[in-house]
Amino acid sequence: MPSFAELAARPDAQLDALALAMAAEFRPVDAAAVLAELDALGGELGELVAAAEPGPVAEARACAELLGGRHGFAGDREHYDDPDNSMLDRVLARRRGLPILLSVVYVEVARRAGVALAGIGLAGHYVVGHFGATPPYVLDPFAGGEPLDVRHPDPLVRPWSPHETVMRMLNNLVGSYQRRGDIGKAIRAGELRMQLPAEESVSEAMRADLRAMQARLN
């Protein structure tokens, strides 16, 4: 699998590959096994979609039925801040995680079934939506795939790119590791953020944050 730096530089990088490469920066990851499980879930979803009424709402509901219902993916409310909840392989194995990682599972399983779900970064929450519907049909993976009413039009209700999504995942990890006093891993997450595309003002703020964390080790 390509390195995180290689994928961060590719405009066409897929979300699953980026998420796995990010996790592999912190510990060994069996990427082949994760991709195989996503493929299997995508096959199951394809069968559900084929048997359902056509249309974006039915496709989105099939995703929720499969992942939230049949496979029990939902939010980890007991250990929300655990760094494992930001690691795709661990979330896939435990069926528990942060909203953003559960959304990654939804998006990548849907992609394999030809369903155009996209991640949506709301203020303080991360969900998925099918933009083939008007307004977009939004699901909350943290709540087991429950439909979510969002104000539309809203500039936040738009498809997020893989790079934007992984940036937010790394923001979560920087904070999570800092709260645990693991400054070494917080610094590593901060370094990975710098490899992703960002506006200059955002990059400068991240550089300052990284310097502050590094100073704590000196």
Side-chain angles (χ1 to χ4, degrees):
M1 188 176 73
S3 69
F4 183 85
E6 291 174 299
L7 291 168
R10 291 184 188 173
D12 61 345
Q14 294 289 353
L15 183 53
D16 55 356
L18 265 171
L20 287 171
M22 185 202 81
E25 293 286 338
F26 297 94
R27 53 179 178 71
V29 170
D30 188 347
V34 172
L35 295 174
E37 184 163 3
L38 289 172
D39 288 346
L41 290 169
E44 287 186 55
L45 179 58
E47 293 176 1
L48 281 180
V49 169
E53 293 293 323
V57 172
E59 290 179 347
R61 286 175 174 167
C63 292
E65 177 186 341
L66 176 74
L67 297 173
R70 184 183 299 178
H71 288 283
F73 282 93
D76 186 347
R77 300 179 187 275
E78 293 183 12
H79 308 287
Y80 187 88
D81 194 46
D82 191 324
D84 278 356
N85 286 332
S86 290
M87 305 294 179
L88 179 55
D89 58 322
R90 295 281 171 84
V91 171
L92 200 59
R94 295 168 52 240
R95 306 299 204 243
R96 293 291 181 271
L98 289 180
I100 193 167
L101 266 294
L102 293 166
S103 295
V104 171
V105 173
Y106 272 63
V107 168
E108 284 300 317
V109 170
R111 181 172 67 84
R112 287 161 165 79
V115 175
L117 279 193
I120 304 170
L122 302 176
H125 200 31
Y126 196 101
V127 295
V128 298
H130 198 311
F131 286 82
T134 305
Y137 190 78
V138 178
L139 301 173
D140 185 356
F142 193 79
E146 288 294 316
L148 186 67
D149 288 329
V150 296
R151 185 169 60 87
H152 189 74
D154 182 326
L156 293 178
V157 183
R158 61 169 180 83
W160 273 41
S161 74
H163 292 86
E164 288 177 301
T165 298
V166 173
M167 179 73 82
R168 187 154 168 171
M169 289 161 56
L170 286 166
N171 289 341
N172 291 336
L173 277 178
V174 168
S176 180
Y177 284 130
Q178 284 184 309
R179 286 185 288 274
R180 282 163 172 70
D182 193 339
I183 303 303
K185 286 185 177 178
I187 288 171
R188 185 60 189 140
E191 292 170 340
L192 295 175
R193 288 192 304 191
M194 300 304 304
Q195 297 176 18
L196 291 165
E199 296 180 0
E200 182 52 37
S201 60
V202 175
S203 294
E204 181 51 42
M206 291 190 301
R207 279 192 290 269
D209 191 31
L210 183 56
R211 288 192 296 267
M213 288 190 290
Q214 291 168 333
R216 293 175 63 183
L217 289 181
N218 297 332

